[in-house]
Amino acid sequence: ANAAPLGLPTPPGGGGGGSTERARFIEAVAAARLGANLMDTEEGSAARPLLEGAVAVLVAGAGARDMDGAEALAIEALNRLGILAANREDQAASLALLQQALERYEPARRAVLARADALSAVGDVRRSRRQLSAGAGAESADREAAEEEAAAARVAADAAAVEEAHTLTCFYLAQAHGNDGDVRESARWCLRTMQRQLDRVGG
């Protein structure tokens, strides 16, 4: 249980501190992104161990505090492992991995919403403070406003990434059930995929 994932050494004494936890998570993010790149260049055999090593850390979420894109990346890594299992014709493993991706959606969506709420609360406090000290520290106020705008844009991008990853989960589930011979479930997930795509474009 004390072994560090993905080859990151465990410091003497167990290394249970928050900085080590954060470092392991950052390494998992890098491994997941490298695994995705390898898959996109048809290096699936090299991608698989990276994705598998990353998933346990990403899904646990330890060390993920305010890391942009972390929620969507966990879903994407599970999606990709599901694809690799399907490519090996291991339909049971593919369905199990995609089910895990499906189960990550609501927690991921809630995590992004919580970040948005926290960001809004901080913005409200800062705006109130700026109003009370109107005219003083204009440069600082402009800097704070720019930081808030950038942070809001990152959270919005994270929310969109979670939704996109979930839509892909639905699409892959349609394929996986089709490969498994379950036409009804395949059609159901195909319909859900199309509905989500229509909702995204306002159809």
Side-chain angles (χ1 to χ4, degrees), residues 19-36:
S19 60
T20 301
E21 189 177 77
R22 178 75 166 180
R24 290 176 182 171
F25 192 87
I26 291 170
E27 187 180 11
V29 168
R33 289 177 174 158
L34 178 57

Side-chain angles (χ1 to χ4, degrees), residues 51-148:
L51 293 168
E52 288 177 339
V55 155
V57 182
L58 293 172
V59 169
R65 292 177 293 275
D66 301 324
M67 181 170 287
D68 296 337
E71 295 87 0
L73 193 59
I75 299 173
E76 181 186 346
L78 287 163
N79 282 344
R80 287 181 175 275
L81 284 170
I83 294 169
L84 289 174
N87 290 344
R88 299 192 307 272
E89 298 186 358
D90 189 344
Q91 305 307 332
S94 179
L95 283 167
L97 287 160
L98 293 171
Q99 182 62 34
Q100 289 182 56
L102 186 66
E103 291 168 359
R104 288 301 308 159
Y105 170 60
E106 279 300 328
R109 191 179 67 84
R110 288 195 299 268
V112 174
L113 287 175
R115 287 174 58 200
D117 289 344
L119 182 63
S120 178
V122 169
D124 289 344
V125 171
R126 284 180 168 181
R127 280 188 292 274
S128 297
R129 187 180 63 205
R130 289 197 293 266
Q131 288 171 358
L132 290 172
S133 58
E139 183 178 339
S140 175
D142 289 345
R143 185 173 62 251
E144 283 188 352
E147 289 171 355
E148 291 162 17

Side-chain angles (χ1 to χ4, degrees), residues 16 38-39 41-42 55-56 67 89 91 96 126 138 155 177 179 190 196 199 203:
L38 287 169
M39 274 191 71
T41 56
E42 299 185 358
V55 155
M67 181 170 287
E89 298 186 358
Q91 305 307 332
R126 284 180 168 181
V155 171
H177 283 293
N179 291 339
C190 186
R196 287 182 59 80
D199 290 344

